[in-house]
Amino acid sequence: MFGINRKYPVDKSSIKSSVVRRRDIVENKVIDRIKFKQKQKQKHEALTQEEIKFVKLLLSKPAILRLIMSYPQSLIKGGLFDVAYKVCDFYDINLDDLLGKKRDKHLVLARRDFCHICIKNTNSTQAKIGRFLKRDHTTVLHHLKHDPINIDKILENDGN
């Protein structure tokens, strides 16, 4: 059988074999890629299962649970929780009050001071602070437009 150019004969068996070889190569690459992804997934799942076992082991110890419940601010030093506990201590309110929906004057002032301290002393964005307060970032922006009340006193109490 002759090809288009009639000078060179075309062997159909060689064409079939090259197509089959190419298909096999592509299939092997796809299969290798799938196997690789499965191995990665198994490694990731095994790692998370080990982490879960470790956390469960830690939380099964009553002493560690009491430590976590009594000193949460020591676990997150310098974060939003740390600032929140300082503000709550100063204003003599609960964290639930700070994060709650009430709009009493002393709670609003506490939230305002919290926003100012977080912006100045942490790397948190307005959106993160708003999410922490269970509010929108525009609420944080509103608090930042007004002057803080007791930031100096709150930060002084931090040193003592």
Side-chain angles (χ1 to χ4, degrees):
M1 187 133 217
F2 294 98
I4 295 175
N5 199 346
R6 295 194 191 258
K7 288 184 181 177
Y8 304 106
V10 176
D11 184 16
K12 286 188 175 183
S13 64
S14 67
I15 291 176
K16 281 186 177 180
S17 64
S18 68
V19 168
V20 169
R21 271 187 276 127
R22 288 181 185 156
R23 188 181 65 210
D24 290 343
I25 290 172
V26 170
E27 284 178 0
N28 288 337
K29 285 184 178 180
V30 169
I31 290 170
D32 289 344
R33 186 69 183 159
I34 290 171
K35 286 180 181 177
F36 175 75
K37 285 187 175 184
Q38 287 174 345
K39 286 181 184 177
Q40 291 297 99
K41 188 176 179 183
Q42 287 173 351
K43 284 181 183 177
H44 180 69
E45 287 176 357
L47 182 65
T48 55
Q49 288 174 356
E50 289 175 7
E51 290 173 348
I52 290 171
K53 287 178 185 175
F54 179 71
V55 169
K56 284 183 178 178
L57 177 73
L58 280 178
L59 293 179
S60 67
K61 309 286 183 188
I64 293 176
L65 258 177
R66 281 194 301 270
L67 177 70
I68 291 172
M69 296 307 285
S70 62
Y71 296 109
Q73 67 271 20
S74 65
L75 298 174
I76 325 168
K77 185 113 173 120
L80 294 177
F81 275 102
D82 192 29
V83 174
Y85 281 107
K86 290 174 191 171
V87 171
C88 288
D89 284 342
F90 180 80
Y91 280 97
D92 195 29
I93 59 175
N94 296 330
L95 185 62
D96 294 334
D97 293 336
L98 184 71
L99 304 179
K101 299 251 182 220
K102 290 184 180 178
R103 296 188 298 175
D104 295 343
K105 180 80 170 175
H106 68 284
L107 297 177
V108 173
L109 295 179
R111 290 182 195 120
R112 181 185 300 172
D113 287 344
F114 172 78
C115 292
H116 278 278
I117 292 173
C118 287
I119 287 293
K120 289 181 183 177
N121 296 334
T122 65
N123 293 330
S124 300
T125 61
Q126 293 174 2
K128 280 184 184 178
I129 296 169
R131 273 183 258 135
F132 181 82
L133 289 173
K134 300 177 184 174
R135 285 165 173 75
D136 195 31
H137 74 280
T138 56
T139 304
V140 177
L141 189 63
H142 173 77
H143 284 307
L144 294 175
K145 285 182 183 176
H146 293 87
D147 293 332
I149 306 298
N150 295 315
I151 285 186
D152 299 330
K153 294 176 185 175
I154 293 170
L155 294 177
E156 282 176 14
N157 288 345
D158 178 37
N160 294 335

